Amino acid sequence: MDRRFRFGVIGGPDHTGAQWRELACRTEELGYSTLLMPDGLSLLAPLPAAAVAASVTKTLRVGTFVLASTVRMPRTVAWEADSVAVLTDHRLELGIGTGNPWMNRAAVDELGMPETTPAQRLALVEQTVRHLRERETTAHTPVLIAAGGPRSRKLAGQLADIVTPANHPLADRQEITRIVAEIDEAAGPRADRLEYLMNVLIVGDAIPRRLAPLAGDDISALIAADSLSLLRGTPRQMADEIQRRRDAFGFSYIAVNELFIEQFAPVVELLAGR
């Protein structure tokens, strides 16, 4: 696996079409590798958003971070993802996981999908990836799996091209080491081909209100935990810390929320491609 650094931006709510296209262009201009859209009924639908972002850029990769497996039927996701991959000249990265509690509840209450167990949600992830692979004839669409519990870590090791650990923001580094080791063990001979994505929720010394549901509202707790969800300091200090994290855990793909796109750009300039 090429362990050179690349960086992504995770989009948020409340975009008009013009604002989303502008964000895509700015993401590419600043040297980020990808623009990713989460899954949520209050957000732009991820796959159409990815297609539009690719249409106004030249090299920017686009993707989902991540589709909830409970919201769409596996064969439908595979069909639409393969279509977006073809239409974007294969710049799509398909991110998928078992979904957070809010999205899984909305799938039932608002979209009329059936209730599912954790095992069924994971089975939907596996079915989606396998259907996608069956559709592909030439290019291989990278699949990112958000790996939470032990069973999803095993599946990610077996099927994913990119893995992001779905750990709690206060998880200590010993736990992250254990999570990565479990994924690598499940991957077996293909472990060296896995790319690890680190989702940095907070950049700097304050937690934006929008991100409090994900990161909590206590910056001191993240600092005390030495959380991998937080990066602070000068661009050089953050770059050095990111390099330490690659050495320790294998993270070479770093994603930040769009709120930090400008603030984090000097770090991207220091490390992208290195």
Side-chain angles (χ1 to χ4, degrees):
M1 180 64 206
D2 185 346
R3 298 292 183 184
R4 288 179 292 183
F5 285 115
R6 66 187 184 114
F7 297 87
V9 172
I10 299 175
D14 303 326
H15 286 288
T16 64
Q19 289 168 339
W20 179 248
R21 293 190 295 271
E22 181 180 353
L23 176 62
C25 292
R26 186 60 175 157
T27 299
E28 182 175 59
E29 184 178 66
L30 290 173
Y32 291 90
S33 170
T34 53
L35 177 59
L36 308 167
M37 177 55 77
D39 206 7
L41 298 185
S42 63
L43 306 173
L44 297 171
L47 285 168
V52 169
S55 74
V56 295
T57 55
K58 295 180 179 179
T59 61
L60 185 72
R61 299 189 65 78
V62 295
T64 58
F65 191 84
V66 296
L67 296 183
S69 67
T70 51
V71 173
R72 307 161 188 85
M73 297 303 292
R75 209 174 278 277
T76 300
V77 178
W79 170 39
E80 295 186 355
D82 185 55
S83 298
V84 172
V86 171
L87 292 170
T88 61
D89 297 323
H90 301 287
R91 285 192 274 152
L92 177 71
E93 296 176 4
L94 178 66
I96 190 167
T98 55
N100 61 45
W102 307 282
M103 195 57 176
N104 291 335
R105 191 68 256 160
V108 177
D109 295 343
E110 300 183 48
L111 299 178
M113 300 298 286
E115 295 268 6
T116 52
T117 65
Q120 289 170 329
R121 293 168 201 155
L122 193 61
L124 292 171
V125 173
E126 181 175 7
Q127 291 167 28
T128 300
V129 177
R130 296 201 185 282
H131 286 317
L132 176 63
R133 296 296 176 235
E134 289 168 1
R135 291 189 63 90
E136 293 174 334
T137 57
T138 54
H140 175 97
T141 299
V143 168
L144 180 156
I145 292 180
R151 287 180 295 182
S152 64
R153 294 171 203 160
K154 181 177 180 180
L155 183 68
Q158 293 170 342
L159 294 183
D161 302 287
I162 309 163
V163 183
T164 184
N167 54 274
H168 192 279
L170 298 180
D172 62 29
R173 300 196 178 208
Q174 184 175 358
E175 181 177 352
I176 302 300
T177 299
R178 178 176 57 79
I179 290 171
V180 171
E182 287 182 15
I183 296 167
D184 281 347
E185 181 179 4
R190 64 189 298 275
D192 288 342
R193 301 198 299 273
L194 291 180
E195 183 178 32
Y196 280 96
L197 184 153
M198 177 173 59
N199 179 19
V200 177
L201 292 172
I202 307 299
V203 177
D205 296 309
I207 299 175
R209 181 176 300 180
R210 182 201 295 182
L211 299 181
L214 299 175
D217 57 7
D218 185 0
I219 193 76
S220 63
L222 295 176
I223 295 170
D226 197 16
S227 172
L228 296 191
S229 298
L230 173 68
L231 279 171
R232 304 162 65 228
T234 66
R236 182 71 265 171
Q237 288 170 329
M238 287 191 280
D240 289 344
E241 171 60 16
I242 289 170
Q243 290 184 91
R244 285 191 288 270
R245 294 180 186 186
R246 179 174 63 180
D247 292 342
F249 310 107
F251 291 110
S252 58
Y253 186 3
I254 316 300
V256 298
N257 190 275
E258 67 169 270
L259 295 173
F260 306 115
I261 184 174
E262 301 290 344
Q263 182 180 351
F264 196 68
V267 180
V268 176
E269 185 176 2
L270 286 170
L271 291 182
R274 294 172 173 80

